C-alpha cells in the first residue's frame, strides 16, 4: 500500500530554489540538507549542475556529506546534461521533458516520436554509464498533455526497462484530485513501474493531488519546505505530513516530526518570508482555540477539536481567553493554573466582566490574571 510505503522526494534545493526569493548559499544548502536528512526524507533533489558553476559545486558538497537521504539531481533530457550529472556522483538522476502541446511547440519543438527516441537514447546512455544509478523519467506538464501521447511515451520507456520510476508533473497546477488519481492509477497499471507525483499549487490542490496520487498507487511525492517553488509552489512537506498523519499517524512515524517547526522556520528566514498563519502544523494559529465552546471541550479533552496532537511536533496548544467569545470554563481553568480556587459564581461574574470589557478591545492575559487575583483577595 503506497500510504504505508511512500517516499518523499524533497525538492527545496531544486524546485524550492525556483521560488521568487530563494537563493541558498553553500552553507545554507548544507544546513537545509542536514535538517531534511535528520527529519528523515528519503531523497533530496538538487538543481541541475548546468544551472551555474556554484550549483554544480554544491551538488558535490552535498553528495560528499554522506547523508542517509539519497541525493538526486534534475536535468533536461539530453546526453550533455546527463554526463555532467553523472560526474557529480549523485545517487540518482531525474530527467524531464515537456509533452504538452504548449511545451512541444514553444519549448523544445519536438514531436512525440522524437521525444520517445531521445528519451530512449539518453536513458540507455545513462544506464550504460552507471548501471546502478536511480533513474527517473518525467513528462513535464503531464495534465495538459494528450493522454494517448503520455501513455505512448511511458509504455515505450517501460518496455526498454531503463528507469526506476516515472514522474507525473502537474506543472501549472491545473489537475484535480480525480484526474491525478486516474492518471497515476493508469500508469501504474499499464507499466508496473513506480510513479512519482509533482504537483503545483496554483489552484490550491497540491496537497489533495499528492494524496490522490498515493491513493492511485504513486510511490513517491515531491515536496518542498513550506511549498516554495515556481509561482506559488508545490506540495509543502509539512502539509503532506499533516494530511497523512490525519489518515493514520503510523504513516509518518518514520519521520522525526519534532524537527518540522525548525525546518519551516529556517526556510521562512532564508527566504525572507513568514510562515503563513494558516500553515498546517506550524502556522501561528494552528493550535489556537478561541470560542468558549471550543475552549471548554479542548480543556476537557483536546481530541474534541484537534486532529493533530501539537506535542507530536514539539508544539503546544493555546486557549485564548481575553476576548468576547470567551467562556467561564476557560476562565476557571486560568484561575486554577494561577492556583486560585474561586467559587463558580465568582468565575461566572468575572467572565461577564471580561466579555463586557473585551467588547471594547481584547484583554491581555495579565489583565485577566489581575482580575482573578483581585477577586481572590476580595473573597478571602
Ligand atoms: C521544472 C518543471 C517541473 C519538473 C517536474 C518534474 C514541473 O521546473 O523543471 O521533473 O517532475 O513542475 O514540471 O518542476
Ligand atoms: Cu515544478
Amino acid at each position: 500500500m503506497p500510504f504505508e510505503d511512500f517516499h518523499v522526494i524533497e525538492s527545496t534545493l531544486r524546485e524550492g530554489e525556483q521560488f521568487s526569493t530563494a537563493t541558498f548559499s553553500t552553507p545554507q544548502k548544507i544546513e537545509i540538507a542536514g535538517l531534511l536528512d535528520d527529519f528523515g526524507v528519503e531523497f533530496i533533489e538538487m538543481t541541475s549542475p548546468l544551472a551555474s558553476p556554484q550549483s554544480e559545486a554544491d551538488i558535490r558538497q552535498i553528495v560528499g556529506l554522506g547523508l542517509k537521504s539519497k541525493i538526486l539531481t534534475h536535468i533536461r533530457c539530453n546526453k550533455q546534461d546527463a554526463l555532467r550529472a553523472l560526474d557529480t556522483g549523485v545517487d540518482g538522476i531525474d530527467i524531464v521533458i515537456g509533452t504538452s502541446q504548449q511545451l512541444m511547440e514553444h519549448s523544445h519543438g519536438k514531436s512525440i516520436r522524437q521525444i520517445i527516441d531521445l528519451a530512449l537514447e539518453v536513458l540507455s546512455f545513462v544506464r550504460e554509464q552507471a548501471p546502478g544509478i536511480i533513474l527517473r523519467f518525467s513528462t513535464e506538464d503531464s495534465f495538459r498533455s494528450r493522454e494517448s501521447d503520455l501513455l505512448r511515451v511511458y509504455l515505450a520507456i517501460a518496455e526498454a526497462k531503463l528507469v526506476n520510476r516515472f514522474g507525473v508533473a502537474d506543472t501549472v497546477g491545473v489537475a484535480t484530485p480525480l484526474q491525478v488519481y486516474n492518471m497515476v492509477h493508469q500508469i501504474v497499471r499499464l507499466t508496473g513501474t513506480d510513479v512519482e507525483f509533482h504537483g503545483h499549487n496554483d489552484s490550491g490542490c497540491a496537497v489533495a493531488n499528492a494524496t490522490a496520487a498515493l491513493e492511485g498507487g504513486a510511490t513517491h511525492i515531491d515536496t518542498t519546505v513550506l511549498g516554495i517553488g515556481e509561482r506559488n509552489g508545490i506540495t509543502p512537506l509539512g502539509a503532506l505530513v499533516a494530511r497523512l498523519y490525519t489518515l493514520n499517524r503510523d504513516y509518518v512515524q518514520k519521520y522525526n516530526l519534532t524537527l518540522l517547526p525548525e525546518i519551516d522556520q529556517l526556510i521562512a528566514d532564508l527566504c525572507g518570508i513568514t510562515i503563513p498563519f494558516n500553515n498546517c502544523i506550524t502556522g501561528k494559529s494552528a493550535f489556537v482555540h478561541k470560542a468558549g465552546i471550543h475552549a471548554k471541550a479542548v480543556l476537557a479533552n483536546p481530541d474534541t477539536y484537534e486532529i493533530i496532537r501539537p506535542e507530536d511536533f514539539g508544539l503546544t496548544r493555546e486557549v485564548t481567553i481575553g476576548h468576547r467569545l470567551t467562556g467561564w470554563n476557560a476562565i476557571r481553568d486560568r484561575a486554577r493554573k494561577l492556583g486560585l480556587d474561586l467559587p463558580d459564581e465568582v468565575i461566572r461574574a468575572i467572565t461577564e466582566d471580561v466579555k463586557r470589557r473585551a467588547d471594547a478591545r481584547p484583554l491581555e492575559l495579565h489583565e485577566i490574571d489581575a482580575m482573578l487575583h483581585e477577586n481572590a483577595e476580595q473573597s478571602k
Side-chain angles (χ1 to χ4, degrees), residues 190 245 278 324 368:
L190 292 175
Y245 172 107
N278 57 352
R324 62 164 70 129
I368 297 172

Side-chain angles (χ1 to χ4, degrees), residues 14-15 18 140 169-171 198-200 222 229-231 233-234:
R14 198 282 292 174
E15 175 77 51
Q18 297 174 221
E140 193 182 358
D170 182 17
T171 306
H198 176 99
H200 278 263
D222 289 12
E230 287 282 349
R231 307 182 304 283
I234 66 165

Side-chain angles (χ1 to χ4, degrees), residues 14-15 18 45 74 94-96 136 138-141 167-172 196 198 200 222 230 234:
R14 198 282 292 174
E15 175 77 51
Q18 297 174 221
E45 186 182 61
H74 185 262
D94 291 342
I95 294 182
V96 67
R136 182 218 70 176
S138 173
T139 59
E140 193 182 358
D141 211 359
V168 176
D170 182 17
T171 306
V172 296
E196 163 185 346
H198 176 99
H200 278 263
D222 289 12
E230 287 282 349
I234 66 165

